[in-house]
Amino acid sequence: MIQVFQYPHETLLQTSTAWTDADAIQGYDDKEKFESDMIKLMLDERGMGLAANQIGITKRFFAIGHETFDTFQKHAIIWNPQVINSSEEKVIDVEGCLSFKDVFVKVERPKIIEVQYETTQGKTRFAKLDGMESKCFQHELDHLDGITFNKRVSKLRWQMANKG
Ligand SMILES: [Zn+2]
């Protein structure tokens, strides 16, 4: 049974390591069953993204997807994601996080990113992301480096957001 851990759960603070063919998910024989459980959990929690370390696994992958997205319109698990290029242009937009219930804060990030990742079938893919999809990918990738969104904003902005 997988669940979303709340900050400051220890795995949220850790840097995750690359996913390799030798890796397995504890409690699952079947990667596809795990994949559908993780996506279901994300959807049940009304998220657009869910990083592995949010469910206690310190490996580099996350679930992503939303009907308004271009590349990840269909929900998927992204393995070993990387940003290979980011625009100098930045945008500030509101973010939420499943590990911080009811906190919404404006975070500044590069507007457009070019990314590389592996599919569940082990194929390498490239994509250019913009808008919410870009923001979401960057937020999830940050998780894999132990960076939660409270570390991307000023103390003052964080305190304001927590006042609701
Ligand atoms: Zn998050």
Side-chain angles (χ1 to χ4, degrees):
M1 206 31 206
I2 52 174
Q3 59 164 308
V4 180
F5 292 112
Q6 294 299 297
Y7 185 85
H9 183 83
E10 59 177 357
T11 58
L12 290 168
L13 311 176
Q14 291 171 19
T15 301
S16 298
T17 54
W19 175 267
T20 69
D21 287 341
D23 287 314
I25 308 281
Q26 214 184 349
Y28 285 88
D29 308 326
D30 183 346
K31 206 174 170 187
E32 256 119 61
K33 167 74 173 127
F34 168 73
E35 183 164 59
S36 73
D37 281 3
M38 187 171 177
I39 289 169
K40 185 179 182 303
L41 179 62
M42 176 177 80
L43 294 176
D44 287 349
E45 301 276 336
R46 296 163 188 256
M48 302 181 193
L50 179 62
N53 58 338
Q54 289 181 279
I55 60 170
I57 302 167
T58 51
K59 286 283 161 183
R60 300 188 81 82
F61 65 87
F62 56 72
I64 189 169
H66 194 260
E67 56 190 20
T68 60
F69 290 174
D70 295 319
T71 302
F72 305 113
Q73 201 169 46
K74 199 163 165 259
H75 302 94
I77 301 214
I78 301 306
W79 307 84
N80 296 325
Q82 293 175 58
V83 171
I84 50 181
N85 225 329
S86 15
S87 66
E88 284 191 20
E89 186 186 354
K90 304 217 166 133
V91 285
I92 301 180
D93 212 338
V94 175
E95 295 182 18
C97 181
L98 296 180
S99 295
F100 293 80
K101 282 265 158 66
D102 303 322
V103 181
F104 297 91
V105 64
K106 285 184 174 173
V107 184
E108 184 179 65
R109 296 186 187 275
K111 183 173 188 291
I112 299 166
I113 54 170
E114 290 175 56
V115 302
Q116 178 184 335
Y117 59 93
E118 290 158 25
T119 65
T120 299
Q121 291 73 33
K123 296 221 163 72
T124 300
R125 291 271 156 80
F126 297 89
K128 194 172 185 175
L129 311 178
D130 195 354
M132 254 344 250
E133 189 168 32
S134 168
K135 177 168 272 298
C136 182
F137 195 102
Q138 293 178 66
H139 177 113
E140 300 314 325
L141 188 54
D142 266 357
H143 272 302
L144 304 186
D145 292 317
I147 301 168
T148 40
F149 72 160
N150 53 318
K151 293 177 185 160
R152 288 284 186 201
V153 300
S154 69
K155 276 212 171 93
L156 179 64
R157 187 176 280 176
W158 185 251
Q159 283 163 5
M160 302 278 283
N162 279 276
K163 276 182 190 155

mmCIF file of all heavy atoms in Angstrom, residues 63-78:
data_model
loop_
_atom_site.group_PDB
_atom_site.id
_atom_site.type_symbol
_atom_site.label_atom_id
_atom_site.label_comp_id
_atom_site.label_asym_id
_atom_site.label_seq_id
_atom_site.Cartn_x
_atom_site.Cartn_y
_atom_site.Cartn_z
ATOM 1 N N ALA A 63 5.481 10.468 -11.218
ATOM 2 C CA ALA A 63 4.263 10.399 -12.026
ATOM 3 C C ALA A 63 3.917 11.819 -12.430
ATOM 4 O O ALA A 63 4.147 12.770 -11.681
ATOM 5 C CB ALA A 63 3.130 9.792 -11.207
ATOM 6 N N ILE A 64 3.386 11.968 -13.633
ATOM 7 C CA ILE A 64 2.986 13.284 -14.121
ATOM 8 C C ILE A 64 1.807 13.095 -15.068
ATOM 9 O O ILE A 64 1.676 12.032 -15.687
ATOM 10 C CB ILE A 64 4.177 14.010 -14.821
ATOM 11 C CG1 ILE A 64 3.842 15.470 -15.129
ATOM 12 C CG2 ILE A 64 4.626 13.268 -16.084
ATOM 13 C CD1 ILE A 64 5.062 16.308 -15.570
ATOM 14 N N GLY A 65 0.985 14.110 -15.178
ATOM 15 C CA GLY A 65 -0.091 14.043 -16.169
ATOM 16 C C GLY A 65 -1.269 14.911 -15.821
ATOM 17 O O GLY A 65 -1.613 15.060 -14.649
ATOM 18 N N HIS A 66 -1.828 15.522 -16.855
ATOM 19 C CA HIS A 66 -3.056 16.296 -16.718
ATOM 20 C C HIS A 66 -3.656 16.475 -18.095
ATOM 21 O O HIS A 66 -2.926 16.600 -19.079
ATOM 22 C CB HIS A 66 -2.760 17.655 -16.071
ATOM 23 C CG HIS A 66 -3.996 18.358 -15.598
ATOM 24 N ND1 HIS A 66 -4.596 19.362 -16.320
ATOM 25 C CD2 HIS A 66 -4.752 18.168 -14.490
ATOM 26 C CE1 HIS A 66 -5.676 19.776 -15.659
ATOM 27 N NE2 HIS A 66 -5.787 19.061 -14.551
ATOM 28 N N GLU A 67 -4.970 16.514 -18.144
ATOM 29 C CA GLU A 67 -5.645 16.609 -19.446
ATOM 30 C C GLU A 67 -5.291 17.875 -20.218
ATOM 31 O O GLU A 67 -5.391 17.907 -21.439
ATOM 32 C CB GLU A 67 -7.166 16.517 -19.251
ATOM 33 C CG GLU A 67 -7.685 17.567 -18.294
ATOM 34 C CD GLU A 67 -9.149 17.356 -17.890
ATOM 35 O OE1 GLU A 67 -9.642 16.229 -18.026
ATOM 36 O OE2 GLU A 67 -9.761 18.340 -17.452
ATOM 37 N N THR A 68 -4.852 18.924 -19.498
ATOM 38 C CA THR A 68 -4.505 20.184 -20.175
ATOM 39 C C THR A 68 -3.062 20.193 -20.691
ATOM 40 O O THR A 68 -2.657 21.140 -21.358
ATOM 41 C CB THR A 68 -4.669 21.378 -19.207
ATOM 42 O OG1 THR A 68 -3.796 21.177 -18.088
ATOM 43 C CG2 THR A 68 -6.099 21.498 -18.708
ATOM 44 N N PHE A 69 -2.277 19.177 -20.362
ATOM 45 C CA PHE A 69 -0.880 19.139 -20.789
ATOM 46 C C PHE A 69 -0.774 18.723 -22.258
ATOM 47 O O PHE A 69 -1.689 18.093 -22.797
ATOM 48 C CB PHE A 69 -0.079 18.144 -19.935
ATOM 49 C CG PHE A 69 0.145 18.585 -18.500
ATOM 50 C CD1 PHE A 69 0.753 17.727 -17.588
ATOM 51 C CD2 PHE A 69 -0.237 19.851 -18.062
ATOM 52 C CE1 PHE A 69 0.969 18.125 -16.266
ATOM 53 C CE2 PHE A 69 -0.024 20.254 -16.751
ATOM 54 C CZ PHE A 69 0.584 19.379 -15.842
ATOM 55 N N ASP A 70 0.360 19.073 -22.880
ATOM 56 C CA ASP A 70 0.574 18.695 -24.283
ATOM 57 C C ASP A 70 1.281 17.344 -24.395
ATOM 58 O O ASP A 70 0.826 16.456 -25.095
ATOM 59 C CB ASP A 70 1.419 19.761 -24.990
ATOM 60 C CG ASP A 70 0.671 21.088 -25.061
ATOM 61 O OD1 ASP A 70 -0.542 21.060 -25.329
ATOM 62 O OD2 ASP A 70 1.309 22.136 -24.841
ATOM 63 N N THR A 71 2.416 17.221 -23.692
ATOM 64 C CA THR A 71 3.210 15.991 -23.796
ATOM 65 C C THR A 71 2.653 14.889 -22.884
ATOM 66 O O THR A 71 2.520 13.743 -23.307
ATOM 67 C CB THR A 71 4.683 16.277 -23.430
ATOM 68 O OG1 THR A 71 5.166 17.293 -24.311
ATOM 69 C CG2 THR A 71 5.540 15.033 -23.567
ATOM 70 N N PHE A 72 2.331 15.270 -21.646
ATOM 71 C CA PHE A 72 1.872 14.277 -20.670
ATOM 72 C C PHE A 72 0.374 14.423 -20.408
ATOM 73 O O PHE A 72 -0.071 14.510 -19.271
ATOM 74 C CB PHE A 72 2.677 14.389 -19.375
ATOM 75 C CG PHE A 72 4.155 14.286 -19.596
ATOM 76 C CD1 PHE A 72 4.987 15.373 -19.382
ATOM 77 C CD2 PHE A 72 4.711 13.103 -20.067
ATOM 78 C CE1 PHE A 72 6.349 15.292 -19.597
ATOM 79 C CE2 PHE A 72 6.077 13.004 -20.291
ATOM 80 C CZ PHE A 72 6.898 14.106 -20.060
ATOM 81 N N GLN A 73 -0.365 14.437 -21.517
ATOM 82 C CA GLN A 73 -1.818 14.507 -21.430
ATOM 83 C C GLN A 73 -2.332 13.214 -20.800
ATOM 84 O O GLN A 73 -3.259 13.199 -20.006
ATOM 85 C CB GLN A 73 -2.369 14.662 -22.839
ATOM 86 C CG GLN A 73 -3.746 15.239 -22.900
ATOM 87 C CD GLN A 73 -4.105 15.595 -24.317
ATOM 88 O OE1 GLN A 73 -3.883 14.788 -25.217
ATOM 89 N NE2 GLN A 73 -4.632 16.780 -24.511
ATOM 90 N N LYS A 74 -1.673 12.133 -21.199
ATOM 91 C CA LYS A 74 -1.955 10.829 -20.621
ATOM 92 C C LYS A 74 -0.997 10.666 -19.434
ATOM 93 O O LYS A 74 0.181 10.960 -19.538
ATOM 94 C CB LYS A 74 -1.664 9.763 -21.682
ATOM 95 C CG LYS A 74 -2.313 8.449 -21.413
ATOM 96 C CD LYS A 74 -2.349 7.582 -22.674
ATOM 97 C CE LYS A 74 -2.657 6.158 -22.293
ATOM 98 N NZ LYS A 74 -1.467 5.283 -22.266
ATOM 99 N N HIS A 75 -1.537 10.201 -18.304
ATOM 100 C CA HIS A 75 -0.707 10.068 -17.106
ATOM 101 C C HIS A 75 0.377 9.025 -17.327
ATOM 102 O O HIS A 75 0.123 7.981 -17.900
ATOM 103 C CB HIS A 75 -1.572 9.698 -15.909
ATOM 104 C CG HIS A 75 -2.641 10.709 -15.670
ATOM 105 N ND1 HIS A 75 -3.899 10.585 -16.185
ATOM 106 C CD2 HIS A 75 -2.605 11.889 -15.020
ATOM 107 C CE1 HIS A 75 -4.604 11.654 -15.847
ATOM 108 N NE2 HIS A 75 -3.849 12.458 -15.136
ATOM 109 N N ALA A 76 1.565 9.346 -16.845
ATOM 110 C CA ALA A 76 2.686 8.447 -17.084
ATOM 111 C C ALA A 76 3.684 8.526 -15.947
ATOM 112 O O ALA A 76 3.681 9.484 -15.167
ATOM 113 C CB ALA A 76 3.382 8.833 -18.381
ATOM 114 N N ILE A 77 4.528 7.511 -15.887
ATOM 115 C CA ILE A 77 5.672 7.586 -14.981
ATOM 116 C C ILE A 77 6.907 7.853 -15.819
ATOM 117 O O ILE A 77 7.128 7.229 -16.859
ATOM 118 C CB ILE A 77 5.797 6.324 -14.113
ATOM 119 C CG1 ILE A 77 4.506 6.195 -13.308
ATOM 120 C CG2 ILE A 77 7.031 6.410 -13.222
ATOM 121 C CD1 ILE A 77 4.591 5.634 -11.958
ATOM 122 N N ILE A 78 7.655 8.831 -15.357
ATOM 123 C CA ILE A 78 8.832 9.334 -16.037
ATOM 124 C C ILE A 78 10.039 8.857 -15.242
ATOM 125 O O ILE A 78 10.121 9.138 -14.046
ATOM 126 C CB ILE A 78 8.758 10.887 -15.992
ATOM 127 C CG1 ILE A 78 7.492 11.394 -16.675
ATOM 128 C CG2 ILE A 78 10.004 11.533 -16.532
ATOM 129 C CD1 ILE A 78 7.363 10.875 -18.067
#
